Amino acid sequence: TYDGCEIYPGSNLNVVIGANGTGKSSIVCAICLGLAGKPSFIGRADKVGLFVKQGCTRGLVEIELFRPPDNIIITREIQVMNNASSWFLNRKPATLKMVEEQIAALNIQMDNLCQFLPQDRVGEFAKLSKIELLEATEKSIGSREMYQFHCELKSFRERERELEVLTLQHLCREKTNSLEKMKQRVERYKQDVERYHERKRHMDLIEMLERKRPWVEYENLRKQHEEVKQCRNQVKKSVKILKESQSPWAKKIQEVEENLNSLDMKTKDNTAEIKEISQKIKQKQDALEIREKKIEEIKQALRMKKDEEMGRQKKIRHTREIIEAWKNELNTMAVCENLQPQIDAVNSELKKLQEERENIDSHVSDLRAEKRNQEREEKRIIDHLEHLNNIMKMKEENLKGRFQDTYSALMWLRKNKDKFKKRVCEPMMLEINTRDSRHAKYVENHISGDDMRAFVFESQEDMETFLAEIRDHQKLRVNAVCAPAKSCAESRPSRPIKEFHRYGFFSYLRELFDAPHPVMSYLCFQYRVHEVPVGTEKTREMIERVLQETRFRQIYTAEEKYMVKVSSYTNLMLTTNTSLRAAQFLHSSVDTDGRRRLESQQQDINNTLKSLDMRLTTLFERQKHLDHRDNELRQQKKELLERGNRRRQLESKIVLKYDSLRQLEQDAIDLEKEYELANQKIKEINKQKAELVTELMHLTKGIIPLSIVSGVLTLKRIRATAEKSRLESECKAGSVQLRAAEQRFQELDDRKQCLYVNCKELLIQARQACKLGPDEDLPKEFQIAFQTLPNTLEEIDAFLNEEKTRASCFTGLNASVVEEYNKQTQEIQQLTNYLEEKKNELNKYKQNISQVKERWLNLLKDMIEQINEKFSKFFSSMQCVGEVDLHVENEDEYDKYGIRIRVKFHSSTELHELTPYHQSGGEKSVS
């Protein structure tokens, strides 16, 4: 708003009034930074360089503070480039520490919200706890003694707690040691004897338990053996009963099977007889077919004789016609003329044709060599274009890694493009290609991240179809936009970029990248890329002049983006600038110009190849024409050479034709005779056919009864098979039971044998445990002792473990009881003296705390009473209610003391404590 300003504050309350953007906050910021405050105290920016006016390289704050007898002048000069500050005290260079010492001497606390409360940190004041508010108030307006007393009280109280805890712990330890001393003195001898006898009883009981255990284990296994044996015998009886019950069914099934076998034999014999007769019938039928073929062959031979005779007559007529024509030609033929001039002319033309063919062959060879060179160049360009396409694949991998949903939608789109009526563009980060990778950051900082991964549609209907499938059905989170109905892709900037070269601008943003028509139309419409200029470091150095003279709303310099807004109050420009982010999506963009050049070269080569192909085709056509003309000339030459020999050839041909005519006339065929011979052969064959038909009828009559017998046997076999299936079905349940019973019997028999072997082994182990021979019985004393012990393995094992545990406890008796007694007595005496000393120290601390507490509370209550009186008065003047009081949870917890602020802004509500959540933003600011 201004380059320089000088403020002379008055006494008491100072108020600065002005519209938005007139510089009120600049005064507050200058006070904070000039008094060694940090940028974070203001809550607006994190670097001091950002508080200097845009376009300037440095800023200066000078503050004069009242201090008798001489005022203090503090000067701070801020450099924008490195965010460095230079300090001066009374116009002389100084350090930051020297300035902070002078400010602290005047009790100026820029980090205390009760002294310095900028508008951006009003909310933080409301978030202060009661404890923090009390300490801030003490530092701000309380005397130095007050805050010092408070700190001493907290320190004293902490030490008091330590002494109390220490004393209680040692008192407990003293009681424990005294009790242990008395027990050792009274029970010293008696306890040792009783422990010895107790251990002996436990060891005897353990030995008897270990002897009984194998007998119990043997008895358990013997009982299992008897149970399995009884069960096995019962199953054996069941198997026998089931076998007896199955015997009648098995007999019936066997009878049915014998009947089936008999029927099968009869059916087999009948089928063999039918087959034999069928073969004879087949032989007779084949013989009839052979006779029919012979008749047809005779007729065919007769037709061939007839055709042959007709052909002979036709040849005779044709031969006579040829002889007559040759005689006429011979009669009309003139005397042989001179043909040499014509032959020489043909030879001359053939020579010219040969020369022209050689020239064409040379041209074809040259054109083919040129075509091979062009094809090699085309392959090189295709390889280069493929490399550029690989860069596109890298961009797709980047999309897949960052936005999996968008990549999945892209794969679906490529497979289903036929579902859309108009063009659909892939995500912009794939479609946009910067012409220089250094320009990618401008494009990405200008276009939002959501639009960078958005699909672009030319039709609103297509976009709705796409989103219904992707978002609703596939549940993918993707972005989509629709290009404007009226294309904006060809929009021109209102002013040419040449007018702004003097400011360091080198291009509009649109000229730095390429994109499909719908994408470019959307970016021009939505982001005005054709109206956003891009500059250099020169632009930044003269940024203030650029903003004033060009009136652009957005501009880019080498590393920053500037946005300009006009204040609705003063019509003044408000400018914000941000550093450019590094490119994330377009950093591997394709060189579009280079790609265009390659594609243009490829097109040129294709055109050249087409031209070469056309020229080659023309030459090949000419070659074909010359070959045809060469053949014509050679044929003409041949005919001229043959014309001289034509008369002799005709005379010779006529003689030969007469010979051929005489031979044809001698080879005549007698058709009537051939007809008679054919009829005789056919009559003989028909007689044989009649005999074969009579035999065939006789065989057919013989096979009919056999077929009837075969049908009867088939019906009988079907009935017998059904009867067998019924019997097997009724018998099946019993068979299943029998197999199950036999399997169960085998399992139990195996189990019985295994238990028998194990019982023998356990009996041997039990006798060994009691030290008995193979034939000795268990002694009576063992039997009596075993009766008092548990009878199950689980109880024996539990009892055995318990007794072993008890026996293991009776070890390590201590003989030096007197020495231990003296040692414990001495330690008790030392502890008593130590506790007495700590009690005295604790009493002294409590006396000091009482004195300091009384002095501190008197000062604190007076200060809070004054604050409350003025706070209540101010709120009363606004028809509201406000109170400030001292909040105490426990009088001895000095670190929990705090100041509580309670306010009431509406007559219908009660007093409520000021918190970050209960009151509105305005109410918190007023409070």
Side-chain angles (χ1 to χ4, degrees):
T1 304
Y2 39 71
D3 295 314
C5 181
E6 193 167 359
I7 305 295
Y8 292 93
S11 59
N12 301 321
L13 178 65
N14 287 261
V15 179
V16 182
I17 300 173
N20 287 354
T22 54
K24 302 184 298 298
S25 297
S26 298
I27 299 171
V28 178
C29 295
I31 293 173
C32 176
L33 298 176
L35 295 178
K38 298 178 181 177
S40 59
F41 296 168
I42 304 170
R44 289 202 166 193
D46 57 350
K47 297 178 181 178
V48 293
L50 296 175
F51 289 88
V52 178
K53 183 175 181 179
Q54 291 183 358
C56 300
T57 58
R58 67 187 187 92
L60 183 140
V61 179
E62 185 174 281
I63 299 178
E64 184 173 354
L65 298 174
F66 173 75
R67 186 189 70 175
D70 298 317
N71 290 351
I72 303 173
I73 299 175
I74 300 174
T75 306
R76 180 176 189 174
E77 186 175 322
I78 302 171
Q79 302 294 332
V80 175
M81 290 299 293
N82 53 6
N83 288 298
S85 298
S86 301
W87 294 92
F88 301 88
L89 283 173
N90 295 324
R91 319 291 186 187
K92 297 179 180 180
T95 62
L96 174 61
K97 185 175 181 181
M98 294 168 61
V99 175
E100 288 175 341
E101 290 174 353
Q102 293 290 337
I103 291 171
L106 297 173
N107 197 30
I108 295 174
Q109 304 165 21
M110 300 311 296
D111 58 341
N112 190 335
L113 294 178
C114 289
Q115 270 200 14
F116 179 71
L117 183 60
Q119 66 182 40
D120 295 296
R121 299 187 67 193
V122 169
E124 294 184 28
F125 179 86
K127 293 178 183 177
L128 289 177
S129 65
K130 305 181 189 73
I131 299 167
E132 292 171 335
L133 192 58
L134 173 60
E135 292 185 357
T137 304
E138 287 177 328
K139 293 177 183 178
S140 175
I141 61 172
S143 63
R144 293 192 176 183
E145 291 179 343
M146 182 188 298
Y147 183 66
Q148 185 178 353
F149 288 157
H150 192 183
C151 293
E152 289 178 359
L153 283 172
K154 290 190 284 186
S155 177
F156 288 156
R157 177 57 184 159
E158 186 65 28
R159 182 59 178 163
E160 182 182 12
R161 285 199 199 96
E162 293 177 2
L163 290 171
E164 288 175 348
V165 171
L166 193 61
T167 303
L168 288 173
Q169 287 177 346
H170 281 283
L171 286 172
C172 292
R173 189 179 299 168
E174 179 185 3
K175 290 180 180 180
T176 303
N177 292 338
S178 298
L179 181 61
E180 183 66 24
K181 177 185 67 176
M182 289 185 290
K183 285 182 179 181
Q184 289 178 356
R185 186 173 60 228
V186 174
E187 300 292 336
R188 181 172 50 192
Y189 300 110
K190 180 181 177 181
Q191 187 178 10
D192 290 345
V193 174
E194 288 180 353
R195 289 176 69 193
Y196 173 78
H197 289 295
E198 183 70 18
R199 184 176 185 279
K200 183 70 169 61
R201 285 194 299 272
H202 286 306
M203 295 304 296
D204 292 342
L205 186 56
I206 288 169
E207 183 179 0
M208 194 56 66
L209 284 168
E210 289 177 342
R211 286 178 174 175
K212 182 176 181 180
R213 190 182 188 286
W215 286 101
V216 173
E217 193 172 359
Y218 161 73
E219 186 62 23
N220 289 343
L221 203 62
R222 188 188 65 77
K223 288 179 180 179
Q224 288 184 32
H225 176 266
E226 290 299 322
E227 291 175 359
V228 171
K229 183 178 179 182
Q230 292 177 5
C231 187
R232 167 184 168 278
N233 293 335
Q234 290 177 358
V235 173
K236 185 176 182 181
K237 291 178 182 178
S238 299
V239 170
K240 184 178 179 183
I241 292 170
L242 288 170
K243 284 183 176 179
E244 291 173 355
S245 64
Q246 288 291 104
S247 179
W249 293 104
K251 187 175 181 181
K252 289 181 180 180
I253 291 171
Q254 186 177 0
E255 291 175 356
V256 172
E257 287 178 346
E258 289 175 355
N259 186 24
L260 277 172
N261 292 334
S262 174
L263 290 172
D264 288 341
M265 291 296 295
K266 291 178 180 179
T267 301
K268 184 178 180 182
D269 294 340
N270 189 65
T271 302
E273 191 172 353
I274 290 173
K275 185 176 180 182
E276 182 181 355
I277 295 173
S278 297
Q279 288 177 349
K280 291 179 179 179
I281 291 173
K282 180 72 167 54
Q283 290 172 359
K284 299 301 180 182
Q285 289 174 342
D286 292 343
L288 282 172
E289 289 180 3
I290 291 170
R291 299 302 186 277
E292 287 289 346
K293 287 181 180 179
K294 284 184 178 180
I295 291 172
E296 185 62 32
E297 288 173 357
I298 292 168
K299 290 180 179 180
Q300 180 66 24
L302 183 60
R303 284 195 296 270
M304 289 176 65
K305 292 285 186 181
K306 185 178 179 181
D307 292 341
E308 184 181 349
E309 179 59 22
M310 291 175 65
R312 188 185 68 81
Q313 295 292 339
K314 186 176 180 180
K315 284 181 180 180
I316 289 171
R317 289 193 299 270
H318 182 65
T319 301
R320 286 174 177 169
E321 289 174 357
I322 291 173
I323 292 171
E324 190 63 29
W326 284 346
K327 283 182 177 180
N328 293 334
E329 183 181 355
L330 190 61
N331 292 333
T332 57
M333 184 175 292
V335 181
C336 185
E337 67 267 31
N338 186 13
L339 301 176
Q340 191 59 40
Q342 297 181 35
I343 294 173
D344 293 340
V346 170
N347 287 334
S348 177
E349 190 172 353
L350 282 171
K351 185 176 181 181
K352 292 179 180 178
L353 285 176
Q354 183 63 30
E355 292 176 354
E356 187 175 355
R357 288 173 65 180
E358 290 176 355
N359 291 333
I360 290 174
D361 289 342
S362 177
H363 288 160
V364 168
S365 178
D366 293 342
L367 290 175
R368 282 177 173 169
E370 185 177 356
K371 184 178 178 180
R372 286 194 294 272
N373 293 335
Q374 293 293 334
E375 287 173 345
R376 283 196 293 269
E377 181 65 15
E378 183 183 32
K379 185 179 184 304
R380 184 188 67 79
I381 292 172
I382 290 172
D383 292 343
H384 198 167
L385 287 172
E386 185 176 352
H387 170 68
L388 298 179
N389 291 333
N390 290 336
I391 296 177
M392 180 60 71
K393 290 182 181 178
M394 291 171 58
K395 293 173 71 175
E396 290 178 10
E397 289 299 323
N398 187 15
L399 174 67
K400 182 178 180 181
R402 290 174 176 267
F403 312 106
Q404 182 61 47
D405 284 3
T406 305
Y407 181 78
S408 300
L410 173 64
M411 295 298 102
W412 180 89
L413 174 65
R414 290 180 176 177
K415 295 177 182 177
N416 298 274
K417 284 194 174 181
D418 56 329
K419 296 184 179 180
F420 303 100
K421 298 178 180 179
K422 294 187 178 182
R423 182 177 180 182
V424 182
C425 294
E426 296 180 354
M428 292 190 198
M429 64 180 288
L430 300 181
E431 297 284 11
I432 294 174
N433 286 306
T434 54
R435 298 176 182 177
D436 190 325
S437 59
R438 294 172 297 178
H439 299 156
K441 61 183 178 181
Y442 301 122
V443 181
E444 285 198 25
N445 279 270
H446 196 71
I447 302 172
S448 69
D450 290 339
D451 277 352
M452 283 297 291
R453 61 178 186 270
F455 295 82
V456 183
F457 293 79
E458 284 188 330
S459 165
Q460 183 70 25
E461 182 182 353
D462 285 347
M463 185 173 76
E464 291 173 358
T465 302
F466 175 77
L467 293 178
E469 170 64 29
I470 297 301
R471 290 184 179 172
D472 299 342
H473 294 170
Q474 299 188 25
K475 307 298 182 186
L476 298 178
R477 299 178 62 186
V478 299
N479 298 328
V481 298
C482 187
K486 183 179 179 182
S487 176
C488 300
E490 304 301 329
S491 300
R492 309 306 303 169
S494 56
R495 294 170 289 180
I497 195 65
K498 291 181 180 179
E499 294 182 8
F500 306 106
H501 283 172
R502 64 180 183 275
Y503 300 113
F505 293 115
F506 62 88
S507 174
Y508 283 108
L509 188 57
R510 185 180 66 178
E511 312 308 323
L512 300 183
F513 66 93
D514 294 315
H517 192 275
V519 177
M520 187 64 77
S521 178
Y522 175 78
L523 295 178
C524 289
F525 175 78
Q526 184 70 22
Y527 291 96
R528 309 292 296 172
V529 293
H530 62 290
E531 293 283 4
V532 178
V534 180
T536 60
E537 190 63 30
K538 176 182 176 181
T539 310
R540 185 188 180 281
E541 292 174 357
M542 53 191 306
I543 190 64
E544 187 172 355
R545 178 184 166 194
V546 171
L547 295 174
Q548 290 292 336
E549 296 180 3
T550 62
R551 312 300 288 180
F552 282 119
R553 290 290 177 263
Q554 293 186 64
I555 64 173
Y556 286 89
T557 64
E559 298 296 336
E560 291 179 323
K561 173 184 179 181
Y562 288 82
M563 297 185 67
V564 181
K565 295 182 180 179
V566 178
S567 172
S568 57
Y569 297 99
T570 63
N571 289 327
L572 294 176
M573 289 192 302
L574 305 178
T575 307
T576 58
N577 66 308
T578 55
S579 297
L580 298 181
R581 305 185 310 273
Q584 297 179 340
F585 308 119
L586 307 178
H587 53 78
S588 57
S589 293
V590 177
D591 181 1
T592 309
D593 290 338
R595 184 170 184 169
R596 281 205 195 94
R597 286 195 298 272
L598 289 173
E599 291 173 348
S600 176
Q601 291 175 13
Q602 187 181 18
Q603 186 62 38
D604 291 343
I605 289 173
N606 287 334
N607 294 335
T608 303
L609 288 172
K610 288 179 181 178
S611 174
L612 291 172
D613 288 337
M614 291 175 62
R615 292 169 63 186
L616 283 169
T617 302
T618 303
L619 291 173
F620 290 148
E621 289 293 331
R622 181 61 180 165
Q623 275 185 334
K624 186 177 179 182
H625 172 72
L626 293 176
D627 290 341
H628 180 69
R629 180 59 181 160
D630 184 87
N631 292 334
E632 288 180 349
L633 292 172
R634 292 183 184 278
Q635 183 62 31
Q636 185 178 352
K637 180 180 178 181
K638 181 180 179 183
E639 291 175 355
L640 290 172
L641 292 173
E642 289 176 350
R643 279 173 63 180
N645 301 322
R646 180 63 174 166
R647 186 178 185 87
R648 290 188 297 275
Q649 290 176 355
L650 285 175
E651 291 174 351
S652 176
K653 285 181 178 180
I654 289 171
V655 172
L656 292 174
K657 280 295 179 182
Y658 272 121
D659 294 339
S660 176
L661 180 61
R662 282 192 295 273
Q663 183 65 39
L664 287 171
E665 290 173 346
Q666 291 174 3
D667 294 338
I669 298 173
D670 189 353
L671 292 177
E672 291 181 0
K673 185 178 180 181
E674 295 294 334
Y675 275 127
E676 290 177 1
L677 289 173
N679 288 331
Q680 289 177 3
K681 291 178 180 179
I682 290 171
K683 286 179 182 179
E684 184 65 27
I685 292 171
N686 284 332
K687 191 184 292 184
Q688 296 174 5
K689 282 176 66 178
E691 294 174 357
L692 289 171
V693 169
T694 302
E695 294 175 1
L696 183 63
M697 290 176 64
H698 179 71
L699 291 171
T700 303
K701 289 179 182 179
I703 203 172
I704 291 173
L706 294 175
S707 299
I708 294 170
V709 171
S710 177
V712 172
L713 291 173
T714 301
L715 290 173
K716 289 181 178 180
R717 193 180 189 288
I718 290 171
R719 285 196 293 269
T721 303
E723 179 66 16
K724 180 184 177 183
S725 299
R726 182 183 66 79
L727 292 173
E728 287 177 345
S729 176
E730 293 176 357
C731 181
K732 186 176 182 180
S735 299
V736 171
Q737 290 180 358
L738 178 60
R739 285 195 296 273
E742 289 174 343
Q743 183 178 0
R744 176 65 177 160
F745 172 77
Q746 187 62 42
E747 291 174 355
L748 290 172
D749 190 56
D750 294 342
R751 175 71 175 154
K752 170 181 167 296
Q753 295 297 331
C754 181
L755 289 172
Y756 179 74
V757 173
N758 292 338
C759 282
K760 288 180 68 176
E761 293 178 355
L762 287 175
L763 181 61
I764 294 171
Q765 293 176 7
R767 289 182 178 280
Q768 289 176 350
C770 296
K771 299 180 180 178
L772 298 175
D775 300 326
E776 289 185 70
D777 294 331
L778 190 66
K780 191 172 183 180
E781 60 268 22
F782 281 174
Q783 296 178 10
I784 295 171
F786 285 174
Q787 290 177 358
T788 62
L789 298 177
N791 295 321
T792 65
L793 288 175
E794 292 79 4
E795 292 175 345
I796 289 174
D797 289 339
F799 200 3
L800 194 60
N801 289 333
E802 183 180 350
E803 292 301 315
K804 286 181 178 179
T805 303
R806 288 179 177 176
S808 66
C809 295
F810 295 94
T811 58
L813 297 175
N814 190 2
S816 56
V817 179
V818 177
E819 181 181 352
E820 184 67 23
Y821 170 76
N822 293 331
K823 182 180 178 182
Q824 292 294 328
T825 303
Q826 185 178 2
E827 288 182 357
I828 290 172
Q829 184 62 39
Q830 291 175 355
L831 178 60
T832 303
N833 296 336
Y834 176 75
L835 289 177
E836 188 67 27
E837 179 184 347
K838 292 300 177 183
K839 287 180 181 177
N840 295 333
E841 185 180 351
L842 179 60
N843 292 332
K844 183 179 179 182
Y845 261 94
K846 288 183 177 180
Q847 185 177 1
N848 291 337
I849 289 172
S850 298
Q851 295 174 358
V852 175
K853 178 180 178 182
E854 183 178 359
R855 297 168 64 187
W856 175 65
L857 280 177
N858 290 336
L859 293 172
L860 182 60
K861 289 178 179 177
D862 290 343
M863 180 185 71
I864 293 177
E865 186 176 347
Q866 293 177 24
I867 294 173
N868 180 51
E869 180 181 350
K870 294 178 182 180
F871 191 75
S872 300
K873 179 181 177 182
F874 294 151
F875 265 72
S876 176
S877 67
M878 297 185 293
Q879 285 76 46
C880 299
V881 179
E883 290 183 359
V884 177
D885 59 7
L886 182 64
H887 178 74
V888 181
E889 293 181 358
N890 185 342
E891 290 188 359
D892 294 332
E893 301 294 335
Y894 304 110
D895 55 348
K896 301 291 179 64
Y897 276 62
I899 287 181
R900 180 174 60 180
I901 301 176
R902 297 194 300 162
V903 295
K904 182 174 80 169
F905 286 91
H906 307 285
S907 59
S908 59
T909 61
E910 299 294 331
L911 277 170
H912 287 286
E913 186 176 343
L914 182 66
T915 66
Y917 314 108
H918 191 277
Q919 288 78 18
S920 67
E923 290 172 350
K924 285 186 284 190
S925 298
V926 170
S927 302

